[in-house]
Amino acid sequence: MLGAAARTGRAGLARLLLADCHSLPLRSGAVHGIFGAGLLDHVHDPDAALRE
C-alpha cells in the first residue's frame, strides 16, 4: 500500500512510513496525525496501538 500511495503522489503530501504501530520510531509530539485504514482489525492489542 505504501508503494501505491507513493505512485499516486501521496508521498508529496505527507511522510510515508512503514513501522510497527506498537512502537513507532518517532519522538513524542512529532506527529500531527496518522492514517491507518483497516489497521485495528489486524493488531493484537488495538488499545496499545492507539495509545502509541
Side-chain angles (χ1 to χ4, degrees):
M1 293 191 77
L2 286 176
R7 284 189 298 278
T8 59
R10 301 294 193 262
L13 302 173
R15 180 175 172 205
L16 302 177
L17 175 69
L18 176 62
D20 180 345
C21 66
H22 292 98
S23 180
L24 296 173
L26 305 166
R27 72 182 190 285
S28 182
V31 176
H32 297 286
I34 293 176
F35 177 78
L39 172 69
L40 295 180
D41 291 335
H42 302 284
V43 297
H44 68 274
D45 190 347
D47 291 331
L50 289 172
R51 280 191 304 274
E52 178 64 14

